[in-house]
Amino acid sequence: MTPLSPETHAHLGWRPVSGFGFARRMTLVPLAAAEIARVSQVLPVVFRKAEGRWQAVAVMGPIEGANVFVSREGKWRASFVPALLRVYPFKLTGAGELALWEGYQPDPLAADGAQPFYEAGALASRLQQTLRFLTTVRSGIEAAESVLERLEAVDVLIPWEVPAIETPQPERALTGLYAIDAERFAALDEALVLQLYRGGSLRWLHAHLDSLHHAQRFKAL
């Protein structure tokens, strides 16, 4: 991943995409805590560890490399789009710098419809907004970490697999995903439940549980 820089990108531009074909082979996308309740209305939301850190993710297909929510024409087949997909072709580096998705090819600024990365040597106004948005989303992704660590510590998280797939491809199976065990969750210590409630986490944890049935739609989609 190459961060944007005036030296490399001052004379280049980008184009807003008209569809979601870029996400056709993307199966998991990290979620900010604040968007989980909305995403859970249309997609399964589960948990994983990425580089040793817990995060919530939306599951968009039954196997690695498949996204059943992108149509053949590149249209999004649900009523809500996860935040990280709404700002393509931009993402953040580990250091929090604005960068382009792998494989995205900028256009010369002279090309029809190309928008500048930089204006007068500074990041273009629209991209400054994008940087702020992505920084907020990253903070929201990280906000779920401590909550999930606490649930892991009390043995509430259990392995999760996509249900109802009749012809699995073992080499492309989704692994390392976890869900809340509803019975163990219901039996949590009242003090911990109160802490989760006061921290605003109970809503998205319950939304996660309510979202798991969406995976049964993968075969039809």
Side-chain angles (χ1 to χ4, degrees):
M1 186 192 312
T2 304
L4 293 179
S5 69
E7 293 77 19
T8 305
H9 298 93
H11 303 293
L12 297 173
W14 64 284
R15 300 169 188 268
V17 296
S18 58
F20 292 88
F22 65 87
R24 195 182 307 280
R25 298 188 180 280
M26 188 176 181
T27 307
L28 304 174
V29 60
L31 300 173
E35 66 178 321
I36 292 175
R38 289 288 307 277
V39 173
S40 67
Q41 295 174 18
V42 290
L43 298 167
V45 175
V46 296
F47 311 119
R48 71 172 179 185
K49 272 190 174 178
E51 298 180 353
R53 305 182 69 175
W54 281 105
Q55 60 182 210
V57 294
V59 186
M60 300 178 290
I63 55 176
E64 285 285 357
N67 184 343
V68 298
F69 289 92
V70 176
S71 72
R72 289 194 180 105
E73 298 78 27
K75 294 181 179 179
W76 186 254
R77 303 171 70 184
S79 59
F80 187 82
V81 182
L84 291 182
L85 301 184
R86 297 202 301 267
V87 290
Y88 180 88
F90 301 103
K91 64 195 314 182
L92 291 186
T93 67
E97 301 168 295
L98 198 62
L100 296 171
W101 279 48
E102 291 82 354
Y104 181 82
Q105 295 298 321
D107 290 312
L109 265 183
D112 244 6
Q115 299 192 22
F117 293 114
Y118 288 89
E119 296 170 342
L123 202 61
S125 174
R126 180 170 177 179
L127 299 195
Q128 290 181 31
Q129 295 174 8
T130 300
L131 177 58
R132 288 193 293 269
F133 176 77
L134 283 170
T135 301
T136 300
V137 172
R138 174 172 286 183
S139 296
I141 292 170
E142 294 171 348
E145 181 183 4
S146 61
V147 174
L148 295 172
E149 283 179 344
R150 300 187 75 174
L151 295 184
E152 179 187 27
V154 293
D155 202 26
V156 166
L157 299 178
I158 57 174
W160 181 85
E161 295 179 351
V162 176
I165 300 299
E166 296 174 0
T167 54
Q169 301 179 41
E171 72 280 4
R172 296 175 66 189
L174 296 176
T175 59
L177 301 179
Y178 291 82
I180 287 174
D181 182 290
E183 290 186 7
R184 298 178 193 175
F185 189 58
L188 280 178
D189 179 78
E190 289 184 5
L192 176 54
V193 173
L194 183 59
Q195 290 172 13
L196 294 172
Y197 169 75
R198 286 179 172 170
S201 303
L202 273 187
R203 181 170 181 245
W204 60 261
L205 291 172
H206 282 295
H208 144 73
L209 281 170
D210 292 339
S211 77
L212 299 179
H213 70 94
H214 291 306
Q216 297 172 3
R217 300 170 51 216
F218 285 164
K219 182 179 177 182
L221 285 168

